Amino acid sequence: MLAFQGIMNLGARAKGFEAVSEDAKSSGAGTIPCFGGRSMGARAAVVAATTQFDAAVGVTGVSSLILASYPLVSEKGDLRDRILLELPAEVSVLFISGNRD
């Protein structure tokens, strides 16, 4: 199991998901059924799932995402929905958000 300590940027967090996926493939576990995270971790999960997408065959190794407190709007007010809208239709997404998020 990978442990993350300290503050990591989005790219580094996404690479962590990719490492878990590669480990699962090399151990014979097959595909990763789900990626998930909270806040920036949720964004990293989406980025990692997107990088797992194989356009040549139209599938991704990730079948579902669990996104808690996904930061849909940036601090500058920009909407971060494009990457979500471009996910393959086969990927199920569960958003968990509170009334103070």
Side-chain angles (χ1 to χ4, degrees), residues 23-100:
D23 184 60
K25 288 176 187 174
S26 67
S27 69
T31 61
I32 300 295
C34 181
F35 280 167
R38 181 186 166 277
S39 194
M40 187 188 286
R43 287 186 64 210
V46 174
V47 169
T50 302
T51 61
Q52 296 286 316
F53 180 69
D54 185 345
V57 293
V59 297
T60 182
V62 180
S63 63
S64 59
L65 294 165
I66 300 174
L67 309 176
S69 301
Y70 184 87
L72 189 58
V73 180
S74 75
E75 292 176 359
K76 296 178 183 179
D78 299 327
L79 194 58
R80 297 175 173 151
D81 63 341
R82 180 179 271 328
I83 194 167
L84 296 168
L85 296 171
E86 293 176 350
L87 286 169
E90 297 80 23
V91 177
S92 299
V93 181
L94 172 64
F95 286 95
I96 302 169
S97 184
N99 61 1
R100 294 184 184 199

Side-chain angles (χ1 to χ4, degrees), residues 4-16:
F4 299 106
Q5 295 182 341
I7 298 174
M8 297 171 54
N9 67 27
L10 183 61
R13 289 176 187 231
K15 286 182 182 181

